[in-house]
Amino acid sequence: MKTILTTFILMVCVTAMSAQTDTGYVFTNIKDLPATSVKDQYRSGTCWSFSGLSFIESEVLRKGGKNLDLSEMYVVRKCYEYKAEKYVRMHGTINLDAGGAFFDVFWVLDHYGLLPESAYKGLNYGEDNHVHGEVNAALQAFVKSIETNKNRKLSTAWTGAVDGILDSYFGSVPEVFEYDGKKVIENDFTQNYIDIDPSDYVSVTSFTHHPFYQKFILEIPDNWLWGESYNVPLDEMAEICKYAVENGYTIAWGGDVSEKGFSHKNGLAIVPDDNVEDMSDLERAKWEKMSTGEKDKTLYSFKKPVKEKQITQGMRQEEFDNYQTTDDHGMHITGLVKDQNGTLYYKVKNSWNTNNKYDGYLYMSEPYLKLKTMNFVVHKDAIPKEIRKKLGIK
């Protein structure tokens, strides 16, 4: 009986240890801010519009407004109009692609206002979801042919032809539509439902090739509007993000998602520490015997929290300078959580549908945010007063 009892206790202990090991990441909310439903950009390069509008929708909620579903394709269409014009004026030397930045969303808001999704879905080409390969190719081919015009003089028709292409794919923009059970004039929607002043929002980044506490034009292809970002040291960049969320402000985040540590499927963005100098002698000996595949499997299993790198300003700059950090994707930070070890992560709303582990959301570690953030946009009041003072923001 004693032997049986001992065996049973051992089995229970082993089972408990196994369960503890296999629990994966266990997140507890610290701050969960209001956000609208997760959308799907599908096969379109329009993450900047989805995340930028998600951010604006949360800002409307924060200020006591309605739960809105804004039209991403209206913003995309208006940007394409101006991008085509600027491409021709710049003799083909700016980016003419689907990519964009948060500056674009605020530019459309400022110049044209916004529309609800119900008034402008942008699906006028026989698809149920956004598939932009054809429209991108068609628009690029046409506008490039205008820029290389052998007549040496532009006609008066080409801008109308651009509108024609956009109307064909996205649909014409309605002057009047029904919303909230009543007819609304296009320009009145923003005035009635979106109490947002674009001048209240700022872009922040952190790089050493420009002076700190000044603005500069971030040198990335998708910044075709040449929007300026405030430059702060890395620790202050991270401080702003944490302060913003803790004080009720969400963040429009742009950065690199091409890393092995980014997994939408697993809902994680992490930077595992693979530095052997940080390991004990026993760990190092075991690590050095592993193949590259075994090392990757250990670091990127996403099965339980792992030790992550300590990110420095130099590391961040080096990855940007060497094209290891590029402007891949825009998402929306809506909260703060901690794992079972008490480690901090940001709750991030993606625009790749809801078919992942966390219903369209993912959790980004602070090291990942420090290393892979290109820039982010926040309300100016979301910046701590002392940093705002250094930047000259009133």
Side-chain angles (χ1 to χ4, degrees):
M1 175 65 78
K2 185 176 180 181
T3 301
I4 295 173
L5 181 61
T6 303
T7 303
F8 174 75
I9 292 171
L10 284 171
M11 288 174 65
V12 170
C13 289
V14 169
T15 303
M17 289 174 64
S18 176
Q20 186 176 11
T21 302
D22 295 337
T23 53
Y25 285 76
V26 179
F27 293 112
T28 304
N29 281 332
I30 299 173
K31 196 79 173 182
D32 197 10
L33 301 176
T36 56
S37 61
V38 174
K39 311 300 191 301
D40 186 7
Q41 69 184 76
Y42 203 56
R43 285 155 51 193
S44 73
T46 58
C47 58
W48 52 274
S49 184
F50 278 84
S51 51
L53 287 181
S54 178
F55 172 71
I56 288 177
E57 289 166 357
S58 280
E59 281 295 280
V60 170
L61 290 172
R62 181 181 66 81
K63 300 183 75 174
K66 289 177 65 66
N67 187 321
L68 299 176
D69 182 5
L70 298 172
S71 170
E72 293 85 10
M73 292 306 114
Y74 177 73
V75 173
V76 171
R77 187 238 165 80
K78 286 298 180 184
C79 285
Y80 260 141
E81 290 175 12
Y82 186 43
K83 191 179 293 187
E85 178 187 335
K86 194 167 186 177
Y87 181 88
V88 173
R89 291 190 182 280
M90 292 297 297
H91 298 268
T93 58
I94 69 162
N95 194 28
L96 182 63
D97 206 341
F102 300 129
F103 304 114
D104 306 11
V105 177
F106 284 94
W107 180 84
V108 173
L109 171 60
D110 193 30
H111 286 78
Y112 300 100
L114 301 173
L115 290 184
E117 176 72 11
S118 59
Y120 197 79
K121 296 184 180 298
L123 291 166
N124 202 43
Y125 48 94
E127 295 283 352
D128 294 328
N129 297 296
H130 303 295
V131 182
H132 285 185
E134 185 175 305
V135 62
N136 292 341
L139 194 63
Q140 285 175 358
F142 177 74
V143 177
K144 287 179 181 179
S145 74
I146 298 301
E147 187 271 321
T148 57
N149 195 332
K150 294 182 180 180
N151 293 337
R152 299 183 183 178
K153 180 181 178 181
L154 299 183
S155 72
T156 59
W158 78 269
T159 54
V162 168
D163 285 339
I165 293 172
L166 296 174
D167 282 348
S168 295
Y169 283 94
F170 296 120
S172 58
V173 176
E175 293 181 2
V176 180
F177 53 88
E178 189 169 303
Y179 189 76
D180 255 358
K182 57 187 176 183
K183 287 187 177 180
V184 179
I185 299 173
E186 176 190 351
N187 295 332
D188 287 347
F189 177 78
T190 301
Q191 184 176 347
N192 293 338
Y193 293 98
I194 304 174
D195 181 22
I196 299 291
D197 182 353
S199 66
D200 286 338
Y201 296 85
V202 295
S203 175
V204 179
T205 191
S206 178
F207 292 110
T208 58
H209 64 290
H210 288 280
F212 289 133
Y213 308 116
Q214 295 183 22
K215 291 190 290 185
F216 74 95
I217 296 173
L218 193 56
E219 305 96 334
I220 52 177
D222 285 341
N223 188 16
W224 61 277
L225 270 177
W226 304 330
E228 292 185 310
S229 296
Y230 285 94
N231 197 27
V232 298
L234 176 59
D235 289 344
E236 291 187 2
M237 185 188 82
E239 182 184 348
I240 293 170
C241 289
K242 187 177 179 183
Y243 177 90
V245 178
E246 287 179 338
N247 286 275
Y249 296 89
T250 66
I251 302 167
W253 180 90
D256 191 322
V257 298
S258 63
E259 304 300 308
K260 290 180 181 178
F262 183 92
S263 173
H264 177 70
K265 176 184 175 182
N266 292 285
L268 286 167
I270 56 175
V271 189
D273 188 1
D274 58 358
N275 188 353
V276 295
E277 294 179 2
D278 294 336
M279 299 179 184
S280 66
D281 290 342
L282 185 62
E283 289 173 328
R284 187 181 305 175
K286 183 179 178 181
W287 182 259
E288 289 173 347
K289 291 179 181 177
M290 290 183 180
S291 67
T292 302
E294 289 171 332
K295 290 177 181 177
D296 282 351
K297 188 175 180 180
T298 300
L299 291 172
Y300 304 106
S301 69
F302 304 105
K303 290 182 178 179
K304 60 182 179 179
V306 296
K307 182 180 179 182
E308 297 195 47
K309 289 182 180 179
Q310 295 291 318
I311 308 302
T312 66
Q313 187 84 60
M315 290 166 60
R316 174 179 167 79
Q317 186 68 38
E318 182 179 0
E319 296 225 347
F320 177 70
D321 290 343
N322 293 333
Y323 297 169
Q324 292 173 296
T325 294
T326 55
D327 183 33
D328 294 335
H329 195 40
M331 299 187 291
H332 181 199
I333 295 175
T334 66
L336 281 169
V337 301
K338 61 182 178 180
D339 67 15
Q340 60 265 49
N341 298 327
T343 305
L344 184 73
Y345 298 77
Y346 288 88
K347 183 179 181 180
V348 186
K349 178 184 172 186
N350 204 352
S351 55
W352 292 350
N353 211 329
T354 58
N355 53 357
N356 78 334
K357 189 173 183 179
Y358 299 111
D359 299 321
Y361 281 81
L362 58 93
Y363 297 100
M364 179 187 295
S365 71
E366 195 167 32
Y368 196 99
L369 178 133
K370 285 184 172 182
L371 184 62
K372 293 299 171 180
T373 297
M374 189 65 69
N375 72 308
F376 60 84
V377 170
V378 288
H379 191 284
K380 63 183 181 180
D381 292 343
I383 300 174
K385 289 183 179 179
E386 285 303 311
I387 299 176
R388 210 159 67 221
K389 185 177 179 181
K390 294 177 186 178
L391 296 172
I393 298 174
K394 295 181 181 180

